[in-house]
């Protein structure tokens, strides 16, 4: 699973540090190349020699070290890593990370790396619950750092509660899953995004609120996962991702037609567009004059794209999005059922801090069998999680 992957394991100074030896061994067993950075405190709990033997590489720990700089300094390590895994991550190190402190080798590498960072916190249950730690954790999550655990159980200090480091198997699985999204390699994915625009006359139209950010982020994430992406977009003010085929449309009918054609031979269809439910029964060919005190427009229902795509493609993996203002999960589930979707992503658009126009979102991923809450974070990060879910589901089905 991890063949040719480069995993940088950071070990900080907690009692769970002894478990890191087993994690390093398992990562190697999965085929990964592993380098280890230990903080000064970590070396009080476990010998660098153990980690050196298990990783097959010299352990790094000094920030300023003439030998290390000649070999692999902090910038090289930061660039080398495909994934940075910090296990265990102590409350103190989490606080340092939140502030972006760079006074240790591990802190500097965290700042310098473009690699995805996963942390497995381990600490006393009261420390885990503390307001300061919880604030730090939510900051890190919003920055895109991925949490593994902690789990609930008896602790080394005699307490019982949440704070134990996640099981080694779960940690190794989370690392492997980062690469699993590549399983969309060569899959054909069609995505609708943005609003549709329904003309009233040559200068006026009705539309839905939608920036297109979520659908575009889904396209980016699918491209990164190796998919061939067709993005069918309503009018938006953001630039198109590279490496995908973009079809610009205006009306729901145009979006429907383009979707139907693009879905021939496709594996996945993701309906992230905010499609207008109605269009004007007649579109005035001339600009409507501002003479009458009131005017009446008659609207006609638009085709439901997802429903029609399902009708035409029984085996397509179909994902809908539902913007709800109340009973989020119930309404989402009803749409999942009625549109015969494989999955639906629901979010609360009544909230001002996420959703429309925002760079962030907080959603539920719902399938027939399960509901998963995805915490508030950047739409790009949400999209990556959703694409990973889609890839996992496709693997499970095939
Ligand atoms: O029923 P509702 O509009 O809330 O469902 C939202 C989902 O249905 C989205 O995935 C949206 O892209 C899709 N949809 C559609 N055709 C429509 C309206 C919505 O495919 N006419």
């Amino acid at each position: 699973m991890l063949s040719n992957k480069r995993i940088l394991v950071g070990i900080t100074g907690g009692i769970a540090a002894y478990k890191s030896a087993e994690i390093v061994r398992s990562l190697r067993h999965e085929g990964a190349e592993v380098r280890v950075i230990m903080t000064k405190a970590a070396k009080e709990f476990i010998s660098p020699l153990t980690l050196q033997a298990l990783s097959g590489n010299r352990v790094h720990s000094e920030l300023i070290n003439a030998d290390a700089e000649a070999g692999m300094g902090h910038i090289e390590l930061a660039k080398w890593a495909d994934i940075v895994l910090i296990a265990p991550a102590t409350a103190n190190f989490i606080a340092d990370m939140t502030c972006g402190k760079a006074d240790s080798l591990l802190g500097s590498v965290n700042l310098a790396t473009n690699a995805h960072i996963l942390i497995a916190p381990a600490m006393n249950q009261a420390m885990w619950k503390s307001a300061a730690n919880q604030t730090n954790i939510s900051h890190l999550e919003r920055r895109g750092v991925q949490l593994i655990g902690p789990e609930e159980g008896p602790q080394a200090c005699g307490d019982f509660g949440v704070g134990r480091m996640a099981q080694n198997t779960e940690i190794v699985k989370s690392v492997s899953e980062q690469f699993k999204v590549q399983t969309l390699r060569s899959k054909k994915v069609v995505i609708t995004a943005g609003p549709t625009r329904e003309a009233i006359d040559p200068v006026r139209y009705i539309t839905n609120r939608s920036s297109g950010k979520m659908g575009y982020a889904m396209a980016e994430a699918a491209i990164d996962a190796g998919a061939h992406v067709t993005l069918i977009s309503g009018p938006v003010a953001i630039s198109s991702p590279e490496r995908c085929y973009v079809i610009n449309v205006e009306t729901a009918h145009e979006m429907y037609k383009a979707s139907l054609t693009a879905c021939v031979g496709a594996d996945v269809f993701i309906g992230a567009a905010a499609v207008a439910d109605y269009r004007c029964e007649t579109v005035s060919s001339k600009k409507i004059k501002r003479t009458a005190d009131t005017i009446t427009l008659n609207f006609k229902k638009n085709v439901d794209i997802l429903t029609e795509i399902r009708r035409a493609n029984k085996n397509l993996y179909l994902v809908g999005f539902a913007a709800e203002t109340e009973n989020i999960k119930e309404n989402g589930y009803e749409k999942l059922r009625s549109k015969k979707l494989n999955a639906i992503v629901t979010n609360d658009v009544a909230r001002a801090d996420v959703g429309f126009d925002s760079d962030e979102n907080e959603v539920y991923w719902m399938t027939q069998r399960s509901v998963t809450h995805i915490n508030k974070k950047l739409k790009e990060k949400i999209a990556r999680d959703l694409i990973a879910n889609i890839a996992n589901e496709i693997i499970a089905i095939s």
Side-chain angles (χ1 to χ4, degrees):
M1 198 68 208
L2 292 173
S3 172
N4 295 327
K5 302 297 181 224
R6 294 166 160 182
I7 317 296
L8 191 60
V9 178
I11 306 177
T12 69
I15 183 63
Y18 77 92
K19 296 182 185 169
S20 309
E22 189 60 37
I23 295 171
V24 168
R25 206 187 67 85
S26 302
L27 292 172
R28 288 285 307 278
H29 184 74
E30 292 293 322
E33 209 184 317
V34 179
R35 286 186 176 271
V36 176
I37 299 180
M38 296 178 79
T39 62
K40 199 159 167 274
K43 291 197 274 185
E44 303 289 333
F45 289 92
I46 183 166
S47 154
L49 214 55
T50 308
L51 277 312
Q52 177 175 312
L54 292 170
S55 68
N57 283 308
R58 199 178 63 79
V59 169
H60 306 261
S61 51
E62 303 305 323
L63 179 57
I64 314 285
N65 180 324
D67 285 350
E69 290 299 323
M72 216 182 209
H74 62 287
I75 300 298
E76 282 88 350
L77 282 167
K79 286 183 182 161
W80 175 85
D82 292 322
I83 292 285
V84 175
L85 166 70
I86 303 172
T90 59
N92 183 58
F93 192 79
I94 286 168
D96 280 357
M97 255 181 104
T98 310
C99 303
K101 281 184 78 173
D103 58 355
S104 68
L105 180 61
L106 190 54
S108 302
V109 167
N110 275 343
L111 285 185
T113 193
N114 282 327
H116 188 48
I117 303 175
L118 295 99
I119 61 170
M123 66 194 75
N124 167 268
Q125 52 82 24
M127 291 171 78
W128 172 253
K129 275 194 297 207
S130 70
N133 182 63
Q134 286 301 312
T135 307
N136 291 341
I137 289 290
S138 58
H139 269 297
L140 289 180
E141 281 201 293
R142 286 177 62 184
R143 231 185 261 160
V145 172
Q146 186 179 329
L147 226 64
I148 314 169
E151 61 177 37
E152 191 173 15
Q155 302 203 289
C157 56
D159 279 5
F160 185 94
V162 178
R164 282 164 57 110
M165 187 161 84
Q167 299 291 325
N168 291 353
T169 46
E170 197 198 327
I171 293 174
V172 174
K173 188 166 148 252
S174 297
V175 172
S176 302
E177 272 169 5
Q178 304 309 310
F179 301 101
K180 224 177 173 181
V181 289
Q182 281 296 334
T183 45
L184 280 190
R185 188 182 303 255
S186 306
K187 296 282 182 213
K188 195 175 165 205
V189 177
V190 181
I191 301 173
T192 64
T196 66
R197 207 180 251 182
E198 312 295 331
I200 296 171
D201 68 16
V203 296
R204 304 182 181 94
Y205 55 79
I206 58 161
T207 190
N208 278 342
R209 275 187 72 179
S210 171
S211 63
K213 283 179 190 167
M214 196 62 228
Y216 276 51
M218 291 297 285
E220 292 274 12
I223 294 162
D224 286 348
H228 299 300
V229 176
T230 301
L231 177 62
I232 302 168
S233 177
V236 294
I238 53 178
S239 47
S240 308
E242 289 174 12
R243 295 176 290 143
C244 82
Y245 179 53
V246 182
I247 303 173
N248 289 305
V249 296
E250 207 164 289
T251 66
H253 190 69
E254 286 169 9
M255 187 171 272
Y256 162 62
K257 285 284 191 202
S259 300
L260 213 53
T261 309
C263 279
V264 175
D267 301 287
V268 180
F269 180 82
I270 303 171
V275 186
D277 290 324
Y278 293 90
R279 67 180 183 280
C280 281
E281 207 165 30
T282 49
V283 178
S284 170
S285 60
K286 296 207 173 69
K287 185 179 172 188
I288 300 170
K289 294 285 176 215
R290 190 161 47 94
T291 43
D293 282 343
T294 59
I295 60 164
T296 304
L297 297 171
N298 282 326
F299 291 101
K300 215 172 151 179
K301 205 168 190 177
N302 273 330
V303 63
D304 190 291
I305 300 173
L306 280 174
T307 304
E308 294 308 316
I309 292 291
R310 170 55 83 223
R311 211 191 300 277
N313 304 272
K314 297 280 175 277
N315 295 323
L316 197 60
Y317 191 88
L318 211 54
V319 183
F321 274 71
E324 302 293 338
T325 52
E326 56 188 357
N327 302 328
I328 321 265
K329 284 189 262 183
E330 293 77 3
N331 290 339
Y333 189 76
E334 180 47 29
K335 284 175 189 171
L336 177 77
R337 201 194 51 75
S338 64
K339 295 181 196 240
K340 298 191 172 70
L341 308 176
N342 295 87
I344 193 157
V345 182
T346 55
N347 66 317
D348 182 352
V349 288
R351 282 174 55 175
D353 58 331
V354 289
F356 291 140
D357 296 324
S358 165
D359 288 338
E360 291 184 320
N361 215 348
E362 180 174 331
V363 304
Y364 289 99
W365 160 262
M366 302 175 63
T367 67
Q368 292 285 355
R369 288 165 283 110
S370 64
V371 177
T372 313
H373 181 235
I374 301 182
N375 281 336
K376 180 177 164 182
K377 52 186 154 179
L378 287 174
K379 285 179 175 171
E380 285 81 358
K381 305 284 181 194
I382 298 249
R384 196 155 71 174
D385 289 357
L386 294 173
I387 290 294
N389 287 350
I390 292 169
N392 286 341
E393 289 273 323
I394 289 175
I395 293 168
I397 292 169
S398 57

